[in-house]
Amino acid sequence: MALRFEVLGRFNRARAAQLTLPHFACQTPLFMPVGTQGTIKGLTTDQLEEIGCQIILGNTYHLALRPTSELIDELGGLHKFMNWPRALLTDSGGFQMVSLLHLADITEKGVTFQSPVDGKPMLLTPEESIQIQNRIGADIIMALDDVVRTTITGPRIEEAMYRTLRWVDRCIAAHKRPHEQNLFGIVQGGLDPVLRDICVRGLVDRNLPGYAIGGLAGGEDKDSFWRVVAQCTAALPEDKPRYVMGVGYPLDIVVCSALGADMYDCVYPTRTARFGTALVPEGVLKLKHNAMVNDTRPIDPTCACMVCKNYTRAYIHCLVTKDAMGSQLLSYHNLYYMLQLSRNLHSSIVEGRFPECYIIPDSNLCASRN
Ligand code: GUN
Ligand code: ZN
């Protein structure tokens, strides 16, 4: 194991912890921005450090295609390649193929897909996913899982859950750097509590350094989503990190943290920035709106970020959709907002103020979907 997980405070099921990884000691609850080609679009790694980002997600699938994991390995690993001294996490790649390439096909061997480079059929096996992630060198790597949408029902859910358990054994056997990289297993099983239970128990038996809850945020209703998170966090070990994949909106992170989850990743803050939307305590602010044309206030007068200290809504309104700087400034603010939310969750749990801070008055913290 290449991590230490120390719980610093609790409130009911919520916990605040220090997660010490090979490249950085992170505070949880923890939001992880998502990078694509070894970058968070529009931000430098200095800016990411400045806003207090502790760990970022690299996209195995994109990196494996370009510049390739062999080249990253040859150039000294992804930390060095992208000039990021803090922690990194890579996902296994299968989920991205299934969600991006609708032509992906899953068999017991692995995920077959058409190469977006030359259209040739390619196969990503659990062994290959781990080999690629070993070459990239992130602090946390993810097992290859068989992901099905939660809106599907029937035997496919059960098949995917058992296959995920069989694949995790192939991932464990293929992992060459367990003292430098932490392999997390992923709980699947759709919305079925019996299947989720079998999967959690199976993964806990494998004694991995951390666990993720997968297959969520795929169109299920909030009630079902929270029920699965609550069931999994209750059954996972107290002394290991719990990561809810692909989540989420500010409200989701608050609720999942109350349920005992520790880590999150989502493209939402950066994606919504590119559409001209800022995250603010009241919900969202649409910078494209005509009301912004002569508004001299900052995006959020209560925000301490560089963008809110230096620029007006009117200026960002003028840039948005016209110049890359518009979405860069909005991404900066939005990530700062999510990281500040994580820091507030951490300190409010440590200081015993969690319920006062997060008993949510009507729309507060609740980002509307756009
Ligand atoms: N990202 C969001 N959800 C998932 C999931 O279920 N599995 C993997 N591997 N990545 C994800
Ligand atoms: Zn700001």
Side-chain angles (χ1 to χ4, degrees), residues 86-134:
R86 298 187 177 180
L88 282 170
L89 180 151
T90 47
D91 197 355
S92 45
F95 173 79
Q96 284 71 24
M97 284 174 206
V98 175
S99 61
L100 296 175
L101 310 168
H102 299 286
L103 303 168
D105 183 38
I106 299 171
T107 64
E108 193 60 26
K109 275 193 201 149
V111 184
T112 328
F113 62 100
Q114 260 190 340
S115 161
V117 178
D118 55 13
K120 284 201 189 119
M122 292 177 66
L123 172 69
L124 182 77
T125 62
E127 291 78 11
E128 260 171 351
S129 170
I130 296 301
Q131 185 184 35
I132 293 168
Q133 295 187 79
N134 280 163

Side-chain angles (χ1 to χ4, degrees), residues 41-43 269-278 285 287-288 299 306-307 311-334:
K41 280 196 188 77
L43 298 191
T270 43
R271 179 170 293 165
T272 207
R274 293 197 291 278
F275 292 104
T277 300
L285 187 72
L287 272 300
K288 278 187 197 167
I299 294 171
M306 174 277 286
V307 176
Y311 301 99
T312 62
R313 294 178 183 183
Y315 178 65
I316 298 166
H317 170 82
C318 183
L319 292 182
V320 147
T321 71
K322 302 286 187 301
D323 190 288
M325 181 65 84
S327 54
Q328 285 165 25
L329 295 176
L330 280 172
S331 289
Y332 185 105
H333 164 85
N334 284 355

Side-chain angles (χ1 to χ4, degrees), residues 91-92 95-96 143 145 147 186 188 214-216 245-246:
D91 197 355
S92 45
F95 173 79
Q96 284 71 24
D145 52 344
V147 191
I186 306 172
Q188 294 293 346
L216 295 174
M245 306 190 84

